[in-house]
Amino acid sequence: RGYYPRLWSEAGFQISHRYSSTFYPLAPAGFADASLDARLAAVGKRGFRLAPIDTRDWDAVMIGVHRLVMTLYSSMPVFSELTIDEFVDIFGSLRRAIDPRLVTLAWRDDELVGFSIALPDFGDLPNRALTPWTIARLLTRKYRYRQAVALYMGTTQPGLGAAMAADLLQQMCARRFTVVGSLIAENKPTGGYAPSLIGDRSHYGLWSKDISPASHATA
């Protein structure tokens, strides 16, 4: 297991960022976690509203999500700012893949202040040739899935991330599917939501190397 880390290290790379993915297995029948209810109740008392996406409002929501992503994700590695047209061109196709119940939006009055986007786990189906059989399986998997993958989350308000995660995990328990929280930055609270439900965790590293002229001159 140490082969690739050793290979990268000997080539002058170092781990610059660490991430983990959290696996939430099927909860026992009838499982309930009072902390999930408490998180959802708390944001309501603070004047925020959580709701699944209404796809009829897709265009307006995309504008709000773009604004949040450009602000909240700007410090991430290899971040590149996108115009709204570029953003829609890249992520607009998600509309065909989402189960609206897995997309939670956080509102303060009419202002979008947070989002959580999970998708059904399609496996390798999106990479296959779009034959009638593949399309039929994709459409079936969209609403009849055994696992969801939490992909994107962002909020301007403390506590909303925990509440949106609670909404997804409550669905997991009620509707009987598993969840993978993918590539969570190390030391972020997202990785520790609902510890009683966590089954396993995988760890990853982003390796980087300074190749600027100044670094070569120093070397």
Side-chain angles (χ1 to χ4, degrees):
R1 296 179 62 181
Y3 172 76
Y4 285 106
R6 187 167 59 251
L7 189 68
W8 286 108
S9 180
E10 291 175 353
F13 287 79
Q14 295 180 327
I15 293 182
S16 58
H17 297 80
R18 295 181 184 273
Y19 303 88
S20 66
S21 291
T22 305
F23 176 66
Y24 294 90
L26 281 177
F31 177 88
D33 186 333
S35 69
L36 302 181
D37 293 325
R39 288 172 183 168
L40 291 168
V43 297
K45 292 178 181 178
R46 292 168 55 199
F48 299 104
R49 174 174 57 90
L50 301 185
I53 189 172
D54 185 336
T55 54
R56 294 173 297 183
D57 300 327
W58 180 266
D59 292 340
V61 168
M62 286 292 285
I63 293 173
V65 171
H66 169 263
R67 172 179 54 81
L68 290 172
V69 168
M70 292 304 106
T71 301
L72 299 172
Y73 284 34
S74 61
S75 62
M76 296 181 66
V78 301
F79 173 84
S80 179
E81 189 165 347
L82 302 172
T83 67
I84 181 60
D85 291 336
E86 292 169 333
F87 186 81
V88 169
D89 186 54
I90 294 171
F91 295 103
S93 59
L94 284 176
R95 184 174 188 170
R96 298 193 296 270
I98 64 167
D99 175 351
R101 294 172 293 181
L102 297 180
V103 179
T104 302
L105 303 176
W107 301 91
R108 180 172 53 195
D109 299 325
D110 294 327
E111 179 188 6
L112 183 67
V113 294
F115 63 89
S116 171
I117 301 174
L119 290 179
D121 187 350
F122 291 104
D124 67 346
L125 288 175
N127 299 322
R128 298 186 184 184
L130 287 181
T131 65
W133 174 243
T134 302
I135 294 172
R137 293 187 65 188
L138 284 167
L139 292 174
T140 300
R141 187 77 61 88
K142 180 176 178 178
Y143 292 109
R144 296 177 61 185
Y145 45 85
R146 296 181 179 179
Q147 181 163 280
V149 181
L151 294 175
Y152 309 108
M153 178 184 288
T155 176
T156 61
Q157 304 295 322
L160 284 185
M164 291 187 291
D167 180 79
L168 176 61
L169 294 175
Q170 282 193 336
Q171 289 193 60
M172 178 190 82
C173 295
R175 294 169 47 211
R176 308 295 295 161
F177 58 83
T178 61
V179 168
V180 175
S182 61
L183 292 180
I184 302 162
E186 190 177 54
N187 299 322
K188 291 289 186 180
T190 321
Y193 291 154
S196 61
L197 288 170
I198 294 175
D200 196 9
R201 184 175 278 124
S202 299
H203 299 275
Y204 309 88
L206 175 63
W207 292 77
S208 62
K209 180 180 180 179
D210 187 354
I211 58 173
S212 64
S215 68
H216 289 289
T218 303

